[in-house]
Amino acid sequence: MRIAVSASGPGLDAPVDTRFGRAPWFVVVDTETLEARGVKNGQNPDLPQGAGIQAGKTVVETGASALVTGHCGPKAYRVLSSSGVALYLGARGTVRETVEAFRQGKLSLAEGADVEGHWV
Amino acid sequence: MRIAIASGKGGTGKTTVAVCLARVAPNPVRLLDCDVEEPNAHLFIKAGHMETFEAAMPTPKVDPALCALCGECEKICRFSAIVQAGKKILVFPELCHGCKGCMMVCPAGAISESPRLLGTVETGQAEGVGLVTGRLRVGEAMSPPLIRKVKEHAGTNGADTLIDAPPGTSCPVIEAVSGADFVLLVTEPTPFGLNDLALAVETVRALGLPFGLVINRAGSGYDGVARYAAREHIPVLLEIPETRKAAEAYSRGLVLVDALPELKEPFKALYRRIRECADAARQGKGARPC
């Protein structure tokens, strides 16, 4: 399966970014082949709010079936879950280490957001 | 004439000044309590019965059977309140500012209105004062739409309207003071008062509104506010001395000019001065600040 990991760079050895909405990159990794590609978390800088929503859209559009990140707010979670993207929390180390942890079943599936939304 | 009473810092005496002005006004006035997150003018202007109306704002509701997933609604929304994720349109009503842009651009007519409750608007009468109070729904994060609803109750046919603004300098304050003929800034002689006053002055200057100053609780010994006002050529229209009697009156919900009748004349003079400033500004004569 393909999973997206929030990261500070585009490759497998980039450190993960535990923020979801404001992470600069998502690395989309095939968990079987470890084939990876970086997708920029391109935020529209004109938008005053909705970073998590926009990031959620970006992940949905990558076609990944799961997202691994550090924290996820309620609005981003709604975007992900509406398209059936599973959310896993507990990303740490590099993207490669996080994918390995995911493959070994060490990461737990989140039932919802783990942090409060931002209002303004 | 519309007079907005604003401050920058909270707790400087906006409502105290607003209810005093309402009390000494030569004619019946409207008093709009636009501090909708914490309205308190009704504690002083005691209308026996308040009519209560619910206020709501239109947010989008999408009919998936009609939606062609063209993405036009998402493009026009500055607030990510309506987005297309995959093959679905998601609405976040709590982010919506109620502009109805998405409903207008939707070529399929798939978006209809669904109200989001903002809070209540309450109206009542007491001794020549028509009081209008906005009360934001607990959990609602956006107050400007409700402030707009309160301002719809401004006096017509030239009747004077007093607007008790919320503290601060952000969107709710802009919404409350915009359209005013004069902004009265109430401050206190403390470093905190001065800091926030300077921000409020920047705000009303950016809005191009004529304004003047009331220094409440005067006599603390800190002269930073007075020096700032002189340096910036801002007229100090009234100083209210700090007294124990004033604090006691406030704690009992009394209007200051009722409890301390010696303040009646100064407040009447303030009202006249505001009218002169507003008239001068309207005729383009008065420099700003007034």
Side-chain angles (χ1 to χ4, degrees):
Chain A
M1 70 187 282
R2 271 187 301 166
I3 65 171
V5 182
S6 58
S8 52
L12 263 182
D13 293 307
V16 300
D17 191 329
T18 55
R19 301 169 306 168
F20 173 56
R22 301 285 181 189
W25 291 89
F26 297 116
V27 183
V28 182
V29 184
D30 185 311
T31 52
E32 303 307 313
T33 64
L34 287 189
E35 190 187 323
R37 75 184 167 101
V39 176
K40 237 185 150 78
N41 182 15
Q43 301 282 333
N44 181 348
D46 288 340
L47 292 178
Q49 60 189 22
I53 295 171
Q54 297 298 320
K57 260 177 70 79
T58 302
V59 169
V60 166
E61 282 158 13
T62 65
S65 42
L67 165 75
V68 188
T69 187
H71 301 284
C72 180
K75 295 195 268 300
Y77 181 77
R78 231 190 98 198
V79 174
L80 296 167
S81 59
S82 75
S83 289
V85 178
L87 170 67
Y88 289 83
L89 300 175
R92 61 169 65 88
T94 63
V95 173
R96 192 187 296 278
E97 286 159 4
T98 294
V99 171
E100 191 49 39
F102 178 84
R103 277 163 40 133
Q104 292 172 8
K106 287 181 181 167
L107 303 180
S108 54
L109 180 67
E111 303 284 335
D114 73 316
V115 288
E116 291 285 318
H118 307 293
W119 282 105
V120 184
Chain B
M1 176 174 64
R2 287 189 188 192
I3 309 169
I5 298 99
S7 73
K9 184 182 177 299
T12 56
K14 284 180 298 301
T15 303
T16 297
V17 169
V19 297
C20 283
L21 287 173
R23 188 67 102 221
V24 303
N27 297 303
V29 291
R30 290 277 170 87
L31 172 58
L32 311 184
D33 194 343
C34 287
D35 189 2
V36 301
E37 291 177 68
E38 196 76 77
N40 63 342
H42 62 282
L43 300 177
F44 303 92
I45 303 295
K46 298 172 181 90
H49 172 70
M50 299 284 280
E51 288 286 341
T52 302
F53 309 92
E54 285 194 337
M57 196 175 72
T59 65
K61 186 177 173 202
V62 180
D63 182 347
L66 295 176
C67 175
L69 294 172
C70 68
E72 289 298 318
C73 53
E74 170 174 341
K75 269 186 229 151
I76 200 170
C77 186
R78 304 243 315 119
F79 303 101
S80 301
I82 185 162
V83 295
Q84 182 176 347
K87 298 226 176 297
K88 279 183 189 142
I89 300 288
L90 298 179
V91 177
F92 294 87
E94 70 275 28
L95 297 181
C96 177
H97 286 228
C99 74
K100 301 207 253 183
C102 55
M103 301 169 199
M104 293 175 201
V105 298
C106 177
I111 308 178
S112 57
E113 290 183 23
S114 163
R116 176 173 103 225
L117 187 64
L118 298 167
T120 56
V121 176
E122 299 156 28
T123 62
Q125 285 284 336
E127 297 172 70
V129 180
L131 177 65
V132 184
T133 292
R135 200 180 295 277
L136 196 68
R137 173 176 60 83
V138 172
E140 171 62 51
M142 233 178 269
S143 65
L146 181 61
I147 293 172
R148 275 196 288 280
K149 298 276 186 192
V150 174
K151 286 183 77 179
E152 285 172 8
H153 292 264
T156 48
N157 301 327
D160 285 355
T161 298
L162 302 167
I163 295 164
D164 191 3
T169 51
S170 59
C171 299
V173 177
I174 309 295
E175 190 63 54
V177 305
S178 60
D181 299 298
F182 190 85
V183 181
L184 192 60
L185 295 176
V186 184
T187 189
E188 61 177 31
T190 66
F192 297 114
L194 174 58
N195 181 78
D196 291 2
L197 170 65
L199 297 172
V201 166
E202 264 186 67
T203 307
V204 291
R205 278 185 176 151
L207 294 170
L209 299 171
F211 65 98
L213 204 56
V214 169
I215 300 179
N216 189 17
R217 301 175 59 201
S220 70
Y222 176 79
D223 68 349
V225 171
R227 282 191 285 121
Y228 166 82
R231 194 168 65 239
E232 295 285 328
H233 307 290
I234 301 169
V236 178
L237 303 177
L238 178 67
E239 294 192 42
I240 306 169
E242 173 158 62
T243 60
R244 186 180 170 91
K245 271 181 83 176
E248 282 173 1
Y250 181 85
S251 72
R252 290 182 187 133
L254 299 177
V255 178
L256 198 55
V257 290
D258 293 343
L260 285 83
E262 65 269 26
L263 287 174
K264 231 170 206 149
E265 277 311 314
F267 266 98
K268 283 184 181 169
L270 172 65
Y271 207 107
R272 285 193 298 272
R273 186 75 192 282
I274 291 171
R275 189 181 299 283
E276 287 164 16
C277 291
D279 286 346
R282 197 167 26 235
Q283 290 157 15
K285 286 178 196 159
R288 286 169 183 176
C290 99

